[in-house]
Amino acid sequence: MARWAGAARARWVIGHMDPAIETPLETLGRFGFLEFDFPLPVVNAWVGHGGPEYRVDGLLPWHWFVYEGDGARKYSGPDSPRVIRKQNDREFRLRRLGLDFVRYDWSDVYPSREPFITKVRAMFSDHPRRDEPVKWWKNVPGVGAVEPSREDWPSPYPARIILPAGWHTDLAT
């Protein structure tokens, strides 16, 4: 398959994917961090006061902010008022932990991640790297929250991952 169209890109994607990501929307959010050379987040991390209470789509522990991708389905059902109230309460509690918050939806990440990245840039500007990261726990499917090992900790610095040549010119193909 090495000579098939797109094989090199597929190899790159597999080499840089994060198996902890659960949705295409989360994938595009994380890809924005790669595409714009930011520190990589911990995906689906748990945070809380004294113990794991809330799982977030992405956490920048050294910068004390989280991001959440919100698909339209969440807001379109008969339960949407209850969902919005729960979401607001959850966000309030996350902010009380000292975390700032970025929400995004499909229009922020597709076809361009620039709207999402504008928000992320503001977070990095408002929250420079701290010496003490926020306490977090790794999510292990089927197990739940566990203490992160040394290898689980992300760098507080840009990843410096180079995208494949022509990435921006042929996204639709």
Side-chain angles (χ1 to χ4, degrees), residues 20 41-61 64 66 94 97 99 133-141 143-149 152-154:
V42 178
V43 298
N44 291 307
W46 288 85
V47 294
H49 182 39
E53 297 175 66
Y54 304 100
R55 194 174 77 159
V56 297
D57 290 348
L59 168 69
L60 285 296
W64 287 66
V66 300
L94 288 166
L97 292 173
L99 296 166
V134 68
K135 176 70 174 150
W136 66 278
W137 292 264
K138 177 181 177 176
N139 185 59
V140 176
V143 176
V146 299
E147 283 288 330
S149 69
D152 295 321
W153 277 86

Side-chain angles (χ1 to χ4, degrees), residues 34-94:
L34 287 166
E35 185 178 15
F36 289 85
D37 198 30
F38 290 126
L40 293 180
V42 178
V43 298
N44 291 307
W46 288 85
V47 294
H49 182 39
E53 297 175 66
Y54 304 100
R55 194 174 77 159
V56 297
D57 290 348
L59 168 69
L60 285 296
W62 297 99
H63 299 274
W64 287 66
F65 75 88
V66 300
Y67 65 89
E68 294 267 298
D70 294 322
R73 243 183 1 194
K74 180 189 284 189
Y75 306 112
S76 62
D79 270 356
S80 60
R82 185 185 63 76
V83 168
I84 291 168
R85 184 174 173 86
K86 267 182 77 172
Q87 174 180 290
N88 289 342
D89 184 54
R90 181 175 180 274
E91 187 170 328
F92 173 79
R93 293 177 188 278
L94 288 166

